Amino acid sequence: MAMATSSSYPPPPPFYRLYKNFEQDPSSAPEPPPPIDGPFKALGVDYTGDVLIPSLESHNVRQLYPKGPNIDFKKELRTLNRELQLHILELADILVERPSQYARRVEDITLIFKNLHHLLNSLRPHQARATLIHMLESQIQHRKEAIEDIKQRREEAQKLLGESLLILDGSQN
């Protein structure tokens, strides 16, 4: 019985051949595809490029904070957090006194959590921008430090080279 051999990795995709001259001529690689404009399908789900975060109403969830573009996220998150704490305490009281009536409080807590989650997801683009800014500033700082290190080492090398030339000139006389 012959043993079959198999590769642990799949073969590269056929389009890798388009990049064969990339090291000699970087402009020989094909242009990247243009950005997707309009609706598109990914993994069997339809998406549009316009709406990043679907509204709560699209999920049939009642929105507990004001609608509109000018939302004070900090204030609304604090309000929802206080409301959540109150509902959890009420749930604890109900579980002790009237255990059969807990379902309504659990639904209220679920609604508050969904609203909190939606508010936090609304802040994701801002978080992404802030993270990118931080990463770029960090890269700039590292590059400035590297440049300073290179300058310092260059000065040390020039100093050593100058001393070496003086020693060589002195020994030749």
Side-chain angles (χ1 to χ4, degrees):
M1 180 157 122
M3 291 182 52
T5 59
S6 66
S7 174
S8 59
Y9 297 104
F15 59 83
Y16 82 94
R17 290 184 187 93
L18 299 173
Y19 297 89
K20 64 183 174 185
N21 296 328
F22 184 75
E23 288 183 9
Q24 291 83 19
D25 182 18
S27 64
S28 67
E31 290 292 318
I36 297 173
D37 188 27
F40 61 96
K41 187 175 251 184
L43 301 173
V45 179
D46 292 327
Y47 292 98
T48 60
D50 302 334
V51 181
L52 295 176
I53 301 172
S55 67
L56 286 171
E57 288 82 20
S58 68
H59 294 292
N60 296 324
V61 176
R62 185 168 49 100
Q63 186 167 325
L64 300 176
Y65 55 90
K67 297 177 184 173
N70 299 327
I71 298 172
D72 185 3
F73 288 96
K74 189 185 280 188
K75 177 181 162 260
E76 296 304 328
L77 286 169
R78 281 186 182 147
T79 303
L80 287 172
N81 189 34
R82 285 188 197 111
E83 216 174 305
L84 177 65
Q85 291 172 356
L86 176 66
H87 279 76
I88 289 175
L89 288 174
E90 288 176 357
L91 176 65
D93 288 341
I94 287 174
L95 286 174
V96 170
E97 296 173 8
R98 303 176 301 274
S100 62
Q101 299 175 1
Y102 75 94
R104 175 76 176 120
R105 288 292 168 218
V106 171
E107 288 175 12
D108 291 344
I109 290 172
T110 302
L111 177 66
I112 294 170
F113 269 123
K114 287 179 180 177
N115 275 268
L116 278 168
H117 192 224
H118 189 266
L119 265 176
L120 291 173
N121 279 339
S122 299
L123 291 171
R124 295 288 181 218
H126 174 70
Q127 179 190 17
R129 278 191 300 277
T131 302
L132 183 61
I133 289 169
H134 175 72
M135 287 172 49
L136 291 174
E137 287 173 347
S138 175
Q139 288 177 4
I140 289 170
Q141 183 63 32
H142 288 303
R143 288 177 181 169
K144 284 181 180 179
E145 290 171 1
I147 289 170
E148 287 302 317
D149 186 47
I150 289 171
K151 286 180 182 178
Q152 180 184 3
R153 291 180 188 271
R154 187 189 85 205
E155 289 172 3
E156 290 173 4
Q158 286 177 339
K159 181 180 173 185
L160 285 172
L161 185 61
E163 292 173 359
S164 300
L165 288 174
L166 286 174
I167 291 172
L168 285 173
D169 287 341
S171 65
Q172 288 179 356
N173 289 337

